[in-house]
Amino acid sequence: MKPIGTLLTGALTGALAACAMASAAHADTYPSRPIRTLVAFPAGGSADIVARMVTQKVGEMSGFNFVVENRPGAGGNLAFDATASAPPDGYTLLFSTPGIAINPSLYRKVEYKLSDFKPIALVGEAPLVLMTRPDLPIHDIKDLVAAGKEKPDAVRFASSGNGSSSHLAMEVLKSMAGLQYLHVPYKGGGAAMADMLGKRVDVTMLPISESMPYIRDNRLRALGQTGAKRSPIAPDIPTFAEEGVKGYSVTTWYMLLGPARLPDAVVNTLAEKFDQALKSPDLQQKLRNAGVSIINEGPVQTKAFLDQQAASWAKAIAASGTHID
């Protein structure tokens, strides 16, 4: 009779070999059905537009079938929860903006943690634009600060939702510039923009791709953009740093993630296909036209970026004292 240790070692070796074979077989056949890709905002917003733009190109080049599913609500937490708890088989993915890095520090309780996700690809980043109505006597950030100080809650700020990059970018500006305002959260940038145009709110801050059509036709007035440098599609709009808020730099970004236990073979397959698509000239041009600066990093670099962003936002949120129950 073989010793128990030998039997256990053999059984363990066999189990590991079986897992490796199963993983390899899964990679060989993946994907065999549509890949559901969750977006935490309604259709028509920048996250939705970029997600569809990128996954369509990946699908064209790879033959993979991506189905973008909008799952708005709770500042993105509905989509994040659904991804974290999904089977780690590669058929439920998340196309995320900074909320994934923000919410664990912003909300007093969430059902997930950052380690519940497997970063796959970092697509790119884009600035936001701070805008006001042209009928208001606000032409720059100094005017906005003065208006807020003149009367408490006089400035009504419309964000795309609690915990959104729109909301938190404004909170950072508030802490750095001494800004005062009444926060009015919406379920997405489209709803915030509708009330801006309807003169029910005074100021909003949204990704540049959502903002420029309204600025170009003079329906809204740009006060500044949030990036470290001016976007090529908005060279006439100054940065906040140029407007006197030294050191300010906040962007929204777009990242693909899956559940934490997603097999490396699937992660690498997806990363490779996204890399190929993001190197195609036509997709690059479309993204640039949408104000997105392409980053195109793989899983290791994407994880490092996500960890850095989470740490940075944790400090900013703690400094602002902003928390959501």
Side-chain angles (χ1 to χ4, degrees), residues 12-211:
L12 180 59
T13 301
L16 290 173
C19 288
M21 291 174 63
S23 178
H26 182 72
D28 288 342
T29 59
Y30 175 83
S32 59
R33 63 178 190 269
I35 301 169
R36 184 174 62 146
T37 308
L38 303 183
V39 173
F41 292 96
S46 67
D48 175 72
I49 291 169
V50 175
R52 293 178 189 275
M53 192 183 297
V54 174
T55 55
Q56 179 181 347
K57 187 61 182 180
V58 176
E60 289 174 0
M61 295 181 67
S62 66
F64 294 6
N65 183 9
F66 291 90
V67 178
V68 174
E69 180 180 317
N70 299 97
R71 187 74 69 89
N77 288 330
L78 296 183
F80 304 156
D81 285 340
T83 305
S85 60
D89 54 12
Y91 293 101
T92 299
L93 303 176
L94 174 69
F95 197 92
S96 186
T97 53
I100 191 72
I102 291 170
N103 288 11
S105 296
L106 179 66
Y107 285 80
R108 297 188 189 279
K109 182 180 180 182
V110 293
E111 300 299 323
Y112 58 86
K113 50 190 181 297
L114 214 58
S115 58
D116 291 331
F117 301 90
K118 179 71 70 72
I120 300 169
L122 177 58
V123 173
E125 63 179 352
L128 296 92
V129 179
L130 178 63
M131 298 165 284
T132 190
R133 305 196 324 256
D135 61 299
L136 298 176
I138 299 172
H139 296 84
D140 54 30
I141 291 177
K142 290 180 182 178
D143 287 345
L144 184 61
V145 171
K149 289 181 177 179
E150 185 176 331
K151 182 180 178 182
D153 297 338
V155 176
R156 296 163 296 177
F157 165 64
S159 78
S160 57
N162 282 320
S164 65
S165 54
S166 166
H167 172 206
L168 270 297
M170 194 67 165
E171 284 292 310
V172 174
L173 181 62
K174 176 182 179 179
S175 66
M176 294 181 70
L179 189 61
Q180 298 180 43
Y181 57 82
L182 174 65
H183 179 212
V184 185
Y186 288 81
K187 292 183 178 180
M193 186 64 78
D195 270 11
M196 276 290 293
L197 298 174
K199 299 185 178 182
R200 288 177 283 275
V201 288
D202 309 307
V203 179
T204 192
M205 191 189 298
L206 295 173
I208 195 166
S209 61
E210 297 178 49
S211 307

Side-chain angles (χ1 to χ4, degrees), residues 187-273:
K187 292 183 178 180
M193 186 64 78
D195 270 11
M196 276 290 293
L197 298 174
K199 299 185 178 182
R200 288 177 283 275
V201 288
D202 309 307
V203 179
T204 192
M205 191 189 298
L206 295 173
I208 195 166
S209 61
E210 297 178 49
S211 307
M212 290 310 297
Y214 302 95
I215 294 168
R216 288 179 181 133
D217 66 8
N218 297 315
R219 283 189 282 174
L220 293 177
R221 177 189 296 138
L223 302 180
Q225 55 181 299
T226 65
K229 58 184 180 180
R230 299 189 186 196
S231 169
I233 69 167
D236 296 331
I237 301 176
T239 66
F240 285 3
E242 290 173 324
E243 284 289 291
V245 189
K246 301 299 182 184
Y248 187 104
S249 179
V250 174
T251 60
T252 190
W253 39 260
Y254 308 97
M255 178 183 292
L256 185 72
L257 308 100
R261 292 172 52 240
L262 196 63
D264 287 343
V266 173
V267 171
N268 293 334
T269 295
L270 288 166
E272 178 186 355
K273 301 306 181 185

Side-chain angles (χ1 to χ4, degrees), residues 268-303:
N268 293 334
T269 295
L270 288 166
E272 178 186 355
K273 301 306 181 185
F274 271 72
D275 174 67
Q276 292 171 356
L278 288 166
K279 288 178 178 175
S280 65
D282 58 334
L283 179 59
Q284 290 184 347
Q285 188 60 51
K286 288 179 180 178
L287 289 170
R288 291 191 189 101
N289 290 343
V292 178
S293 297
I294 299 165
I295 299 176
N296 188 19
E297 297 283 16
V300 174
Q301 298 91 337
T302 301
K303 183 182 185 305

